[in-house]
Amino acid sequence: MDTNLGKGRSVKISKFLSRHLRHEPQRIGITLDARGRVNVQELLQAAAAHGFPFSRAELEEVVATSDKQRFAIEDGLIGANQGHSVAVDLELPVLEPPARLYHGTVGRFLPAIRAEGLRAMNRHAVHLSPDRETATRVGARRGRPVVLTVEAAAMHRDGHRFQLSRNGVWLVEAVPPRYLRAPDVQPPES
Ligand code: HQG
């Protein structure tokens, strides 16, 4: 399985997979099943037919080495573990969350978040991280990260449903403002 994929190539394939397994399967003429998966062979053919060929070995290496375990291959089917905008039912377990979870964002969103809480925006669910470090990385995609603490146990007690994705991301429909604790602004990276 070691294809010695360069990082650049690996990231390109990963982004291609995210785009088509989470958001726009129709763009390359594939149809996801109810759980959001497609046959691996069908995906390889569709990618090649739409000008972005890669091999099965490359695909398997990207899936195995993805820093966030974004994708999974099982029984010849591949799907994204979370992050969808298309309708899918990932059949994830509803679980009791840890007492606190974390959300990484950036300062410019805080006024809206304080007013209306966390919303799923373009995705199916609000994504929450189990630790501050992960949340800091999520926030840093957009600028200087700000980490919000979510009182998950209180939400759970009040009837909010939490699901755990296959790659360790906690998903919830929304987080009302009263469950958010004042952010601690991360120091700029030295
Ligand atoms: C913000 C990546 C205004 C929210 C990451 C975030 C994650 C609001 C943005 C996964 C808001 C949505 C998800 C409100 C939330 N008003 N802004 N009421 N509520 N926001 O990308 O959590 O690399 O959909 O703070 O690692 O950043 O794709 O969500 O900044 O796990 O695998 O609206 O995506 O994983 O952005 O990231 P996103 P996210 P991947």
Side-chain angles (χ1 to χ4, degrees):
M1 192 156 99
D2 186 3
T3 57
N4 290 318
L5 263 187
K7 181 134 173 46
R9 172 95 174 137
S10 175
V11 168
K12 276 200 183 119
I13 294 173
S14 181
K15 285 187 188 284
F16 181 92
L17 296 177
S18 286
R19 178 171 184 181
H20 299 103
L21 296 175
R22 290 171 168 176
H23 309 298
E24 293 185 282
Q26 73 287 353
R27 187 175 166 273
I28 54 167
I30 58 172
T31 305
L32 304 180
D33 69 14
R35 249 195 63 180
R37 296 177 305 183
V38 65
N39 184 281
V40 169
Q41 190 57 36
E42 193 183 326
L43 173 73
L44 293 171
Q45 283 168 358
H50 287 78
F52 189 65
F54 48 89
S55 70
R56 181 179 288 259
E58 286 181 311
L59 177 68
E60 287 177 355
E61 186 167 334
V62 168
V63 172
T65 58
S66 164
D67 53 351
K68 295 183 190 159
Q69 293 295 302
R70 291 186 179 87
F71 315 103
I73 296 179
E74 202 181 36
D75 302 331
L77 300 171
I78 181 167
N81 283 329
Q82 34 71 228
H84 301 79
S85 57
V86 295
V88 287
D89 178 1
L90 299 174
E91 296 176 16
L92 297 176
V94 176
L95 295 175
E96 181 173 347
R100 297 199 173 83
L101 289 168
Y102 303 92
H103 180 83
T105 188
V106 282
R108 65 181 182 275
F109 296 151
L110 287 180
I113 291 173
R114 283 205 184 94
E116 56 189 31
L118 291 172
R119 296 195 294 120
M121 312 306 279
N122 290 330
R123 308 198 196 233
H124 278 190
V126 173
H127 285 50
L128 301 174
S129 307
D131 53 73
R132 284 170 190 274
E133 294 67 37
T134 309
T136 301
R137 279 200 299 276
V138 172
R141 286 149 59 233
R142 296 199 160 80
R144 186 172 165 184
V146 170
V147 173
L148 298 166
T149 301
V150 175
E151 299 292 356
M155 284 184 72
H156 181 256
R157 264 199 310 276
D158 293 345
H160 292 267
R161 271 168 28 114
F162 286 81
Q163 290 180 298
L164 181 58
S165 79
R166 291 178 179 80
N167 58 345
V169 177
W170 286 89
L171 305 171
V172 69
E173 201 175 309
V175 179
R178 65 178 173 283
Y179 300 109
L180 291 170
R181 286 227 320 255
D184 41 271
V185 178
Q186 303 298 307
E189 279 177 29
S190 51

